[in-house]
Each structure stands twice: as C-alpha cells, then as structure tokens.
Amino acid sequence: MNPNTTLAHPDFELRVGSWAELGTEAQTIRHAVFVQEQGIPAELEWDAADAGAVHALALQHGRPVATGRWLDAPEAGVARIGRMAVLAPLRGQGAGRAVLDALVEAARAAGKAEILLHAQASAVGFYLRAGFAPAGEPFDEAGIAHQEMRRRL
C-alpha cells in the first residue's frame, strides 16, 4: 500500500498517509480520547515519532472518527501499532477495526513480518478478535493497564 492512499470501505472513508497530511484530524481525535476522556497528560500523548509514522484515519460522512499509526519497532521486520483512538460515540461500529486493518495492510505492504502493540486492558478482546495474541505480562503505561500483543503477517 502506498502512503497517501484513500481506501474503499462500506462504512468509512479510510486515509493512510503522513502526519503532515493527516495530523490535524488525528490530533483532534487523540486529544478527545486520550487527554480529555482518559486523562493522559498532553505531554505524554505527543511525541516526535508522529513525524515518521504511517497514519490511518477513518472518516464517516467526512468527519474524522478514528485514527492510529504504525512505526518501525526496534526489532527488525516488526511494526509497532499505536495511538489507536476512536471517538466514543462511534465505538463498536467498526471504525477502529477499519483503521487497524488499514495499518496492518500498510505494514504488510512495507515488508513487515510481524506487528506488536500495547493494548489497553479494556481493548485486549478487540485485538484478540483481530488475530493478535498476548505476549508477556500486563504492565502499566501512562497510569493505564496494558498488555503487549503480537501478530505475524
């Protein structure tokens, strides 16, 4: 998959691209979910990795509703998905899965062999249904319980 792509989906318009292209919309969603809803300090939410990451954005009727990113993990051939966020009213309607699938496909197209992510405890079931498996023990990240999960491509 080429960055700067718009993908067909029955319920959402999906865009995959750079932070320069998708960052404004992605930042709005992440601020609403992580900073306002979950109380994560803004300084923990924003990092320099956004500039080099591949981002995905789901829009419904032209309105941004979900986002996520992948970047190279320290391990060769592994992509790390993160910053997955769906606006509260749209949860459970497929926006998060659409973004996740777009990120997985983008990582596969980039030649990655495996994906890892740090799932919030409340989202472990979501990632299990998407083919991810727990790895290691649960841990705390930004004051929230997380579980590392992995999926071979």
Side-chain angles (χ1 to χ4, degrees):
M1 175 180 308
N2 192 356
N4 316 321
T5 302
T6 300
L7 305 172
H9 187 278
D11 300 313
F12 305 97
E13 175 187 344
L14 290 166
R15 296 182 185 163
V16 177
S18 69
W19 185 249
E21 297 162 320
L22 304 177
T24 300
E25 293 93 345
Q27 188 172 25
T28 300
I29 295 166
R30 286 166 46 180
H31 183 79
V33 172
F34 297 128
V35 178
Q36 292 178 328
E37 182 183 330
Q38 296 182 355
I40 295 172
E43 60 271 12
L44 293 180
E45 171 49 29
W46 314 120
D47 63 22
D50 277 324
V54 175
H55 296 267
L57 184 72
L59 298 96
Q60 188 176 55
H61 309 296
R63 181 176 161 239
V65 297
T67 191
R69 73 179 188 189
W70 78 260
L71 48 104
D72 288 327
E75 302 167 53
V78 179
R80 179 173 175 188
I81 289 180
R83 302 306 201 269
M84 289 285 298
V86 179
L87 294 178
L90 275 290
R91 292 188 192 136
Q93 297 181 30
R97 182 60 187 260
V99 166
L100 180 63
D101 289 347
L103 291 170
V104 167
E105 185 53 38
R108 179 183 285 119
K112 301 302 178 186
E114 186 176 18
I115 295 176
L116 72 83
L117 54 84
H118 291 172
Q120 290 187 5
S122 61
V124 167
F126 168 79
Y127 292 110
L128 286 170
R129 291 187 297 278
F132 287 81
E137 296 298 318
F139 59 94
D140 183 86
E141 187 172 27
I144 298 172
H146 281 73
Q147 173 66 56
E148 181 175 308
M149 301 187 80
R150 291 178 174 259
R151 176 178 161 186
R152 300 281 309 157
L153 297 179

